[in-house]
């Protein structure tokens, strides 16, 4: 009985067998779905140097498992990976534990992983250039002075002023040149399996930009324009995703997690060497003097995005026509799909999302969009009734439907407006576009007019007005163009009471009045506001 009890105790005290480490293959299929920064306002541009959006990445890999427990290593995941969101499917057994490696291959990781082990130190004699090597043992970590034990005793590396280098015969366990995600699993039967790893990653973002080109010689009530738009995607991670299925999701998500804090990317730690300063404690360390030596020239600017897109298109056998500095024809256009209340744009071909890069994909190309050109002004007694003439604002109004040449969701982004002239396309304005769903009225601000001016004034002494009084208003509009100008006047909020001006209506919470100004002419409008 005592012998049986002793055997049981020894069996319980024996260490568990180490799990076999298995490396998953490189991804055979990749999918990258990019989401915009949920905290970025519609009028804000994305930060290319610090993108705060995220992406959902799906990788398909092969893994050969032994029977029993094993550790699967997924090398090359995104450094911005949010490990708590990772899901692995296709395993024959369950997941026991998930881990994210903390160290990338770096001088600091090599030294720390070799603590107490032998390395080779090589020194160069500056007098004759000869190299001598000897074995040494690492006796300190990389966060201070590096101390080695050699046949001569203990010494600090690179503190003698002589050229020295360390050589390591192996990479320490747990250190990889690329970020690694690992899971512990148990397979009832060994074999080769296809598994799918899906996770969210920090450090992505995207935005849209529109280019509208007004046709030459159009009428104000029947403006024709070509509208194209591009998705600009940013990957700030150090990993590339080759031949990936690329998608972008438009709309505002409700996000409560702090993905920046959850990502906690692995770090490549430097080797920090602390040595005694050169010189004496009385005179201090010598400060090098470079005289009037010029600063090195700045690095050349990165190539423009258009050149990068054209280079990739040439490599893929595609063609892009360029007019001036703008692309006139897209090689491929992303297709629009519904994703619950959001919109998803799918790139029709597989592309490479490179590390630390931007990519542009066209998602809209409408050759003839029909709209109306309006001159707008605001005239109310409590805002601008001083009688001074001011330029009217110009807006391009259309409806997002197929009858007007659109009929597609328009995600928020920047807008550049050109007009076709005999001398070529000329810039006439820039604006921001909010999210527009199909069927909504779309209004694009083009800029201020240089030929249509409006003067709003209050007739009568302002100080004599009391609550409930009737305030007479006058608006004088002049048009110096050789064509009639359509005018929209905002008279105040929807509850404003107007007398003496027939045909007012409420649009987008404001009471407006619409009319036209004759070519090279003027129009005078009068009405009365009932001051509540």
């Amino acid at each position: 009985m005592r012998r049986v009890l002793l055997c049981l105790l020894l069996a319980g005290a024996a260490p568990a067998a180490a799990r076999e480490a298995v490396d998953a293959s490189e991804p055979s299929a990749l999918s990258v779905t990019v989401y915009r920064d949920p905290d970025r306002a519609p009028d804000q541009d994305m930060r290319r140097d610090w993108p705060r959006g995220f992406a959902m990445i799906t990788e398909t890999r092969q893994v050969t498992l032994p029977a029993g427990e094993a550790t699967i290593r997924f090398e090359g995941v995104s450094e911005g990976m949010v490990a708590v969101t990772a899901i692995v499917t296709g395993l024959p057994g369950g997941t026991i534990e998930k881990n994210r490696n903390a160290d990338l291959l770096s001088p600091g990781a090599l030294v720390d992983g070799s603590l107490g082990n032998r390395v080779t130190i090589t020194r160069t004699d500056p007098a004759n250039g000869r190299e001598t090597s000897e074995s040494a043992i690492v006796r300190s970590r990389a966060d201070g002075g590096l101390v080695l034990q050699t046949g001569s005793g203990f010494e600090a590396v690179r503190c003698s002023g002589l050229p020295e280098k360390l050589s390591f015969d192996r990479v320490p366990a747990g250190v990889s040149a690329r970020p690694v995600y690992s899971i512990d699993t148990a397979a009832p039967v060994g074999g080769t399996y296809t598994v799918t790893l899906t996770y969210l990653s920090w450090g992505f973002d995207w935005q849209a930009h529109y280019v509208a080109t007004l046709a030459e010689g159009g009428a104000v009530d029947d403006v024709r324009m070509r509208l194209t738009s591009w998705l600009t995607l940013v990957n700030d991670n150090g990993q590339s995703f080759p031949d990936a299925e690329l998608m972008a999701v438009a709309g505002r998500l409700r996000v409560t997690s702090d993905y920046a804090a959850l990502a906690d990317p692995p770090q490549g730690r430097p080797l920090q060497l602390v040595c005694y300063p050169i010189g004496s404690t009385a005179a201090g360390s010598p400060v090098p003097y470079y005289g009037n030596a010029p600063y090195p020239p700045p690095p050349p600017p990165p190539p423009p995005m258009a050149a990068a897109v054209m280079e990739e298109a040439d490599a893929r056998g595609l063609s892009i026509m360029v007019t001036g500095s703008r692309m006139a024809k897209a090689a491929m256009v992303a297709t629009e799909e519904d994703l619950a209340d959001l919109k998803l744009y799918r790139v029709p071909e597989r592309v490479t999302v490179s590390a630390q890069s931007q990519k542009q994909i066209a998602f809209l190309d409408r050759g003839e969009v029909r709209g109306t050109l309006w001159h707008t002004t605001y005239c109310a007694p409590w805002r601008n009734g001083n009688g001074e003439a001011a330029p009217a604002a110009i807006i391009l109004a259309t409806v997002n439907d197929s009858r007007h040449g659109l009929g597609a969701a328009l995600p928020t982004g920047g807008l550049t407006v050109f007009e076709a002239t005999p001398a070529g396309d000329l810039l006439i304005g820039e604006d921001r576009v909010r999210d527009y769903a199909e069927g909504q009225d779309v209004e694009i601000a083009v800029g201020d007019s240089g030929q249509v001016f409006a003067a709003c004034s209050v007739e009568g002494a302002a100080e004599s007005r009391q609550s409930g009084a009737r305030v007479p208003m006058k608006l004088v509009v002049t048009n110096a163009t050789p064509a009639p100008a359509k005018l929209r006047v905002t008279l105040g909020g929807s509850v404003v009471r107007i007398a003496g001006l027939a045909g007012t209506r409420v649009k987008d919470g404001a009471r407006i009045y619409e009319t036209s100004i004759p070519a090279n002419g003027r129009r005078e409008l009068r009405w009365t506001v009932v001051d509540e």
Side-chain angles (χ1 to χ4, degrees):
M1 182 65 182
R2 290 181 179 178
R3 180 177 298 178
V4 173
L5 180 59
L6 180 60
C7 291
L8 290 175
L9 290 174
L10 292 175
R19 298 186 178 97
E20 182 179 346
V22 176
D23 288 331
S25 69
E26 293 296 314
S28 58
L30 278 169
S31 174
V32 179
T33 304
V34 184
Y35 295 81
R36 293 186 306 201
D37 175 6
D39 297 325
R40 179 161 53 86
D43 59 343
Q44 290 180 318
D45 288 328
M46 68 179 179
R47 295 185 55 181
R48 291 172 172 83
D49 58 340
W50 184 245
R52 301 178 64 84
F54 54 94
M56 186 178 73
I57 300 172
T58 301
E59 305 176 356
T60 301
R61 305 196 187 206
Q62 302 288 328
V63 59
T64 300
L65 297 177
E69 295 187 359
T71 298
I72 307 175
R73 300 174 73 255
F74 296 89
E75 186 174 353
V77 296
S78 173
E79 66 186 29
M81 177 185 193
V82 184
V84 295
T85 66
I87 299 175
V88 180
T89 59
L91 292 173
T95 299
I96 301 173
E97 186 178 327
K98 303 178 181 181
N99 295 284
R100 178 77 189 279
N101 71 324
D103 268 341
L104 290 178
L105 182 61
S106 64
L110 279 175
V111 170
D112 286 350
S114 303
L115 186 63
N117 294 318
R118 291 189 176 274
V119 297
T120 300
I121 182 169
T122 302
R123 299 181 176 90
T124 302
D125 189 340
N128 53 28
R130 294 177 181 175
E131 292 184 347
T132 58
S133 301
E134 64 177 315
S135 179
I137 301 175
V138 179
R139 292 303 187 188
S140 67
R141 296 180 60 86
D143 52 359
L146 176 56
V147 178
L148 298 181
Q149 182 182 1
T150 66
S152 302
F154 293 86
E155 57 182 290
V157 177
R158 294 183 183 175
C159 289
S160 63
L162 298 177
E164 297 173 328
K165 67 178 181 181
L166 293 181
S167 300
F168 301 80
D169 59 358
R170 63 180 181 83
V171 176
V175 177
S176 173
R178 298 187 295 170
V180 173
Y181 176 73
S182 64
I183 64 170
D184 295 336
T185 185
V189 179
T192 300
Y193 302 92
T194 300
V195 297
T196 301
L197 170 63
T198 302
Y199 59 91
L200 294 179
S201 177
W202 165 263
F204 291 82
D205 204 355
W206 75 270
Q207 68 180 9
H209 193 89
Y210 301 85
V211 177
T213 304
L214 306 183
E216 185 179 0
V220 293
D221 56 351
D222 188 17
V223 175
R224 307 296 176 93
M225 66 176 176
R226 179 180 180 180
L227 185 64
T228 59
S229 186
W230 298 83
L231 301 178
T232 302
L233 303 105
V234 174
N235 172 22
D236 194 45
N237 290 267
Q239 290 71 43
S240 297
F241 303 92
D243 294 327
E245 181 183 10
L246 180 60
M247 293 166 283
V249 175
R252 185 168 294 275
L253 279 71
R254 182 176 180 270
V255 178
T256 59
S257 298
D258 185 358
Y259 290 132
L262 292 173
D264 192 21
Q267 302 293 326
R269 295 181 290 109
L271 181 60
Q272 300 178 359
L273 299 178
V274 179
C275 302
Y276 288 104
I278 301 174
S280 66
T281 56
S285 299
V287 178
Y289 174 69
Y290 298 104
N292 296 323
Y295 289 103
M305 181 56 62
V309 175
M310 291 182 63
E311 182 179 349
E312 179 178 349
D314 291 340
R316 299 176 62 86
L318 305 173
S319 61
I320 295 180
M321 297 170 53
V322 177
T323 300
S325 61
R326 296 179 296 111
M327 297 182 185
K329 184 177 181 180
M332 55 183 174
V333 179
T335 58
E336 175 189 321
E337 302 176 14
D338 290 326
L339 181 66
D341 288 339
L342 307 173
K343 290 294 181 180
L344 182 142
Y345 296 92
R346 186 187 302 272
V347 179
E349 300 181 23
R350 293 189 176 272
V351 296
T352 295
V353 183
S354 300
Q356 300 285 328
S357 69
Q358 301 178 52
K359 178 174 289 292
Q360 283 186 319
I361 301 294
F363 74 94
L364 182 69
D365 190 359
R366 295 290 189 270
E368 189 175 78
V369 179
R370 303 176 57 183
T372 302
L373 207 62
W374 286 94
H375 291 78
T376 66
T377 188
Y378 193 102
C379 186
W382 49 83
R383 179 167 176 176
N384 59 346
N386 54 13
E388 295 183 1
I394 303 176
I395 64 170
L396 182 61
T398 185
V399 181
N400 190 6
D401 58 21
S402 57
R403 188 169 67 89
H404 289 79
L406 275 175
L410 304 179
T412 183
L415 170 72
T416 306
V417 183
F418 295 84
E419 184 173 359
T421 70
D425 296 347
L426 298 180
L427 175 68
I428 62 173
E430 289 186 317
D431 191 25
R432 299 287 302 181
V433 176
R434 65 173 179 84
D435 287 321
Y436 283 103
E438 186 175 353
Q440 283 187 303
D441 292 341
V442 179
E443 294 185 353
I444 300 172
V446 177
D448 291 337
S449 174
Q451 296 179 300
V452 178
F453 286 80
C456 174
S457 60
V458 177
E459 295 188 307
E463 60 272 14
S464 64
R465 300 200 309 269
Q466 298 179 357
S467 179
R470 300 168 67 86
V471 183
M473 301 293 300
K474 182 175 73 171
L475 178 67
V476 179
V477 184
T478 58
N479 175 22
T481 67
K486 297 182 71 67
L487 178 70
R488 176 183 295 172
V489 185
T490 300
L491 306 171
S494 60
V495 297
V496 172
R497 297 174 56 189
I498 302 296
L501 196 62
T504 66
R505 64 186 180 94
V506 175
K507 176 178 173 58
D508 298 332
R511 186 165 297 279
I512 65 172
Y513 176 74
E514 296 175 342
T515 185
S516 63
I517 313 301
N520 296 312
R522 69 191 297 273
R523 174 154 293 176
E524 187 175 297
L525 302 175
R526 281 186 166 86
W527 67 93
T528 301
V529 176
V530 179
D531 193 350
E532 300 292 344

